[in-house]
Amino acid sequence: MPSVMGLLEERERAARQRVEVLQAELQEAEAAWERFVIARQTVAEVLAEPPAGEEAPPAGVAGERPARVAGAVPGSVVPAWKEGLALDSLAPDYQRLVEVLACSGEEMDCRQLAAALGLEVVAAKVEGVRSKVKRLAVRGWLAEERPGMFSMVAGRVGDS
């Protein structure tokens, strides 16, 4: 008869393999979703261009910050941070994450962020927060100087 520890290790190994499979599927689904969002945005840009032969609207003055026509909506792709990019270019969930970190002024982990957002601190909610803050960190909106600990990038609090 197998030992209890052996049975637990076997189940742990099976659960870990299942998680790895699901994470791979999630990455594939996110990649497909991002491609569709980019395609939709590209089509919208092309359709917004003036027809051939018509004059394009005048370009802004050099150094002038471009006016935003509309803020991002839920499901928008997170743009890479660059000078002059406003916080409203992020979808509302991402804006809230940046605002929570900006107000706290210190590093927070995903559990702390979930609690600060008023979410139930359970694995599903924490993982949702983790995927969003990781995306923000990769695209330059947040810093992750220690694994799992997120903060504002120095000097960017006032930019939003």
Side-chain angles (χ1 to χ4, degrees):
M1 172 152 203
S3 71
V4 172
M5 291 302 286
L7 290 172
L8 288 174
E9 288 173 356
E10 189 176 305
R11 287 188 180 188
E12 177 187 358
R13 190 173 21 261
R16 183 179 49 237
Q17 290 172 346
R18 177 85 173 122
V19 166
E20 290 171 356
V21 167
L22 291 173
Q23 285 176 334
E25 288 178 21
L26 176 62
Q27 288 176 341
E28 290 175 19
E30 282 183 333
W33 168 64
E34 285 188 21
R35 285 193 306 271
F36 285 119
V37 170
I38 290 169
R40 180 181 46 79
Q41 290 174 338
T42 303
V43 168
E45 288 173 8
V46 168
L47 293 175
E49 290 177 2
E54 288 185 22
E55 268 188 50
V61 178
E64 183 180 297
R65 209 168 154 180
R68 293 206 38 93
V69 175
V73 295
S76 298
V77 173
V78 175
W81 185 88
K82 61 183 175 189
E83 191 67 39
L85 193 58
L87 185 61
D88 66 351
S89 61
L90 295 173
D93 288 349
Y94 292 91
Q95 289 179 28
R96 287 181 58 211
L97 284 165
V98 172
E99 289 166 353
V100 164
L101 281 167
C103 290
S104 79
E106 52 190 55
E107 284 186 323
M108 296 176 84
D109 66 20
C110 296
R111 288 181 175 277
Q112 293 168 319
L113 282 165
L117 290 170
L119 300 173
E120 192 176 351
V121 184
V122 295
K125 301 293 183 184
V126 172
E127 286 304 313
V129 168
R130 183 181 324 281
S131 70
K132 285 179 174 69
V133 292
K134 284 280 193 184
R135 191 170 292 123
L136 287 167
V138 165
R139 298 204 171 110
W141 288 89
L142 299 177
E144 184 182 15
E145 294 181 17
R146 294 185 304 155
M149 297 300 291
F150 299 90
S151 63
M152 293 301 299
V153 176
R156 292 202 187 154
V157 177
D159 290 347
S160 55

